[in-house]
Amino acid sequence: MRPVRGVLLAVAVALPAAATPALAGDGPSARPGPSTAASTQVAPPWDFESGASAPVLDPAEVVRESLYVTAPVDSDHDGRDDEVYVEVVRPEVTETGLQVPVVYFASPYFSGGNPMEFHDVDVELHVPESANAGERAAEVSAVRTTEAADNEVARPAIRSAYEDFLLARGYAVVYAESLGTGLSTGCPTTGGANETAGARSVVDWLNGRASARDESGAVIEAGWTTGRVGMMGVSYNGTLPNAVAATGVEGLEAIVPIGAISNWYDYYRADGAVVAPGGYQGEDADVLATYVHTRSDRDVCAPVIDALTEAQDRVTGDYNEFWDERNYLNNVDRVHAAVLAVHGLDDWNVKTRQVAQWYEALAQHDVPRSIWLHQAGHVDPLSIRREEWLETLNRWFTRYLHNVDNGVEDEPRATLQREDGSWAREADWPAQTASDAALWPWPGGGSEGELDPRNAVPGSPTVERFADDATRSAQSLVDAPSSGNRLAYYTSPATQDVRLSGTPRVDFAVSFTRPAANLSALLIDRAPDGSTKIVTRGWTDPQNREADDSTSAIVPGETYQVSLSMQPHDYVLPEGHELGLVVLSSDREYTLRPAPGAGLAVELGRTRLVLPTVGGSSTLAEAFGR
């Protein structure tokens, strides 16, 4: 999630106990009243007649403040609590007693980034001892703009594309630099507990539970706010709202995570496989931390970032304590903030699993929620559907920050953009009429076998073989009329549109000639003219077939049941198109790339493609019956 480039670099480290504090202020507490300077209450000028806040204030008439909020963590180990650099932009009328809610942007990107060195991905895969024996511009919702005063160039102020829109509608806008970045102290750890503590401390300050100072050391209070806070942002800037919401902090009433992470493990790993964000092969948690580490005295954090490299474990790819600290799903039961989640169905940086699993977990805990899914990639919806998006955002914040009962919680939860650019509102997502339905591969995968909805290959085991070659791209293997480096299976042309909504998976019976190999699968849409599109894809390490936190040896020649989940999707296969399954080992753009030659053998009778299909098995039978 780097700014200016469209990938989300993430860095996490196993921190000493001092860096994983118990966060203060978990319970509700009374907010202090307005400061002395704002002691005279005034009637709010808000206009909510349409169910959304109307622009009633001049966004140019504001007070700008810079300050440092104390965070309850010492992640740079200098013996002092870390401080979060904050810039406040609030309506000028707050000086005369009006209290306003806050929209808060937290980011590690406000001060830019550093050069990065990526990990080598042309490496051999890990073999356990037992086996041996046998863009970023789209991600940054706020940037610095240079302002001059008295013929001197001031430190650039942080600005957001949403700032004027929000100020005019009665919100203060607050920006904070993540720990270890810009003017904040502490160290960046790519989603670690210290970063969450730093971002959360600003919500605590806005509610009178944390202290802040200005440059001179004078105490700064936030008596100008109601204490009702919303957080939003894209990519890393959208991940921090998820992290803070998962602490259950009082005062955080709503979040809008856009292209955001819910579990950092799933950003850099896939069921034990080391997997890169799309377009950024070799990126990992330590690389991202290095990129965002922009505080001026960076030597102090070198040991912390070095620890990330070891703790992230690019050798086995196993889930461990390091990743568990960065898994916000663990604490979704603490979330009370209303969540408006936004994601691109073509986002291969922060992949769709991140929003799908977060949204599902929120549903299980009955958290107020809504979801926007569009056809683009890792972008802010401002660039997709500006006016409708701003109206949606306005109504969301009006309901939960201005606390106006406008009924958004009773509306359909899902807004989806279809492949033709049209938009639809649905009760929820995935589609409530979707259920798992299977297709079975039939012989011929070296060139092209059939995908059949009726049954598996009968009789004695039918095995098809191929060999890994990471020098070949996935698309080139899809388009090859035949290949010894993949297996391909296609349905007959669909006799009707087929909608998939949810998470496809492949249940394999597979053996290997080597004790380590990648396993990847692609879901393909092939048009009548023969052109192909990779709809979604997935990866797994067969050594993690039993659990993502446990490596189990592979014995060459032995057949294993391995389940591989693809990235969730919502996709309509048009009538006349064919649906395809392409199986390969290494996926050049995403996985580690060992030397070619590992052999894989798939037993067709015990292998199936399972699709979340609207209408279920009957739809597949009607569309693809032969």
Side-chain angles (χ1 to χ4, degrees):
M1 288 189 299
R2 293 174 296 285
V4 196
R5 290 209 297 155
V7 86
L8 181 101
L9 282 177
V11 184
V13 64
L15 298 172
T20 54
L23 297 175
D26 282 315
S29 63
R31 271 191 42 71
S35 63
T36 302
S39 58
T40 303
Q41 291 294 310
V42 298
W46 317 137
D47 177 0
F48 303 125
E49 186 174 350
S50 66
S53 182
V56 296
L57 299 179
D58 184 347
E61 296 179 356
V62 296
V63 175
R64 295 184 179 270
E65 300 172 290
S66 298
L67 52 102
Y68 299 84
V69 172
T70 301
V73 61
D74 178 15
S75 60
D76 55 13
H77 311 299
D78 65 355
R80 299 185 298 273
D81 283 345
D82 295 341
E83 288 189 317
V84 179
Y85 175 70
V86 174
E87 293 185 9
V88 173
V89 189
R90 54 186 172 90
E92 197 171 74
V93 291
T94 57
E95 289 288 278
T96 57
L98 183 66
Q99 291 183 314
V100 296
V102 171
V103 178
Y104 165 32
F105 299 85
S107 176
Y109 296 138
F110 290 153
S111 289
N114 301 305
M116 296 171 297
E117 182 177 348
F118 292 90
H119 292 277
D120 184 8
V121 297
D122 295 311
V123 296
E124 294 305 309
L125 302 178
H126 168 67
V127 177
E129 290 183 7
S130 57
N132 285 327
E135 238 129 75
R136 275 275 205 206
E139 300 177 8
V140 186
S141 59
V143 297
R144 291 196 177 277
T145 57
T146 303
E147 296 179 348
D150 298 328
N151 297 320
E152 292 183 351
V153 177
R155 176 176 169 84
I158 304 173
R159 296 294 301 267
S160 164
Y162 292 94
E163 185 175 296
D164 287 355
F165 180 86
L166 294 168
L167 289 167
R169 288 160 177 80
Y171 304 96
V173 178
V174 170
Y175 306 104
E177 295 195 292
S178 290
L179 295 184
T181 74
L183 294 180
S184 294
T185 62
C187 297
T189 58
T190 308
N194 67 311
E195 289 186 353
T196 301
R200 171 184 161 144
S201 67
V202 176
V203 180
D204 283 328
W205 171 67
L206 290 166
N207 282 274
R209 298 187 298 264
S211 61
R213 65 170 180 86
D214 65 13
E215 191 65 38
S216 71
V219 172
I220 301 293
E221 295 181 345
W224 45 265
T225 176
T226 62
R228 299 182 71 87
V229 181
M231 292 184 72
M232 69 176 295
V234 183
S235 198
Y236 208 147
N237 303 358
T239 300
L240 287 165
N242 283 345
V244 176
T247 71
V249 61
E250 292 296 323
L252 183 62
E253 305 296 338
I255 64 171
V256 183
I258 304 169
I261 287 172
S262 56
N263 180 356
W264 283 94
Y265 179 80
D266 296 328
Y267 184 67
Y268 288 121
R269 307 288 183 267
D271 297 329
V274 175
V275 172
Y280 297 92
Q281 264 286 29
E283 183 183 320
D284 214 321
D286 56 344
V287 179
L288 181 54
T290 301
Y291 178 79
V292 304
H293 187 205
T294 53
R295 60 178 286 182
S296 59
D297 51 340
R298 291 195 286 274
D299 290 346
V300 68
C301 291
V304 173
I305 295 179
D306 287 345
L308 296 176
T309 303
E310 180 178 357
Q312 68 194 7
D313 183 12
R314 288 181 65 85
V315 177
T316 72
D318 289 353
Y319 186 85
N320 57 21
E321 290 183 4
F322 172 85
W323 295 113
D324 195 58
E325 180 184 327
R326 293 155 176 81
N327 184 356
Y328 310 129
L329 298 167
N330 290 337
N331 297 315
V332 72
D333 59 322
R334 300 182 185 178
V335 176
H336 62 81
V339 181
L340 171 55
V342 182
H343 218 95
L345 291 168
D346 198 34
D347 190 344
W348 289 97
N349 177 352
V350 180
K351 304 173 188 72
T352 54
R353 182 174 182 177
Q354 297 290 344
V355 70
Q357 64 191 359
W358 184 240
Y359 191 73
E360 179 182 7
L362 294 170
Q364 291 173 353
H365 291 85
D366 201 27
V367 176
R369 66 200 179 279
S370 187
I371 189 168
W372 261 52
L373 296 173
H374 57 77
Q375 290 291 324
H378 197 58
V379 299
D380 191 312
L382 271 178
S383 65
I384 302 295
R385 198 186 188 202
R386 182 182 180 87
E387 295 307 318
E388 293 85 353
W389 165 244
L390 288 175
E391 177 69 12
T392 297
L393 181 70
N394 191 1
R395 286 172 53 78
W396 197 258
F397 282 156
T398 296
R399 172 65 184 90
Y400 295 106
L401 301 189
H402 279 299
N403 202 25
V404 174
D405 187 6
N406 60 9
V408 294
E409 64 270 39
D410 299 321
E411 297 174 356
R413 290 193 175 102
T415 301
L416 294 91
Q417 185 183 27
R418 294 263 53 101
E419 292 76 8
D420 63 1
S422 63
W423 291 82
R425 298 288 300 275
E426 297 191 357
D428 215 339
W429 190 84
Q432 296 179 315
T433 55
S435 60
D436 284 349
L439 294 170
W440 284 268
W442 282 59
S447 52
E448 182 181 311
E450 295 180 356
L451 264 183
D452 196 299
R454 292 172 295 183
N455 50 44
V457 178
S460 58
T462 300
V463 175
E464 299 207 318
R465 293 176 170 83
F466 67 100
D468 184 25
D469 186 355
T471 68
R472 302 283 304 277
S473 71
Q475 188 65 57
S476 72
L477 291 172
V478 169
D479 291 337
S482 63
S483 175
N485 301 125
R486 58 93 176 122
L487 299 175
Y489 307 92
Y490 284 88
T491 66
S492 58
T495 59
Q496 62 187 54
D497 289 354
V498 178
R499 180 181 171 191
L500 310 177
S501 184
T503 304
R505 76 173 192 273
V506 185
D507 296 330
F508 286 101
V510 58
S511 63
F512 308 88
T513 63
R514 293 180 182 175
N518 293 310
L519 182 59
S520 305
L522 317 172
L523 188 67
I524 309 299
D525 174 348
R526 187 165 66 186
D529 65 2
S531 61
T532 60
K533 174 184 179 180
I534 299 174
V535 176
T536 186
R537 63 216 297 171
W539 318 267
T540 190
D541 180 352
Q543 294 178 356
N544 290 85
R545 61 194 176 276
E546 297 175 1
D548 60 10
D549 63 355
S550 176
T551 292
S552 301
I554 290 174
V555 177
E558 183 171 329
T559 300
Y560 297 96
Q561 291 293 145
V562 179
S563 185
L564 179 156
S565 293
M566 299 185 188
Q567 292 299 312
H569 211 298
D570 199 289
Y571 189 80
V572 175
L573 181 82
E575 179 182 352
H577 287 227
E578 299 164 335
L579 194 65
L581 169 65
V582 173
V583 180
L584 55 154
S585 182
S586 299
D587 186 345
R588 180 171 178 79
E589 290 83 9
Y590 292 93
T591 67
L592 298 180
R593 306 190 296 223
L600 290 81
V602 177
E603 185 179 326
L604 300 188
R606 294 196 291 149
T607 295
R608 62 177 185 164
L609 170 63
V610 181
L611 299 171
T613 308
V614 171
S617 298
S618 62
T619 294
L620 293 189
E622 293 169 5
F624 303 124
R626 295 179 185 269

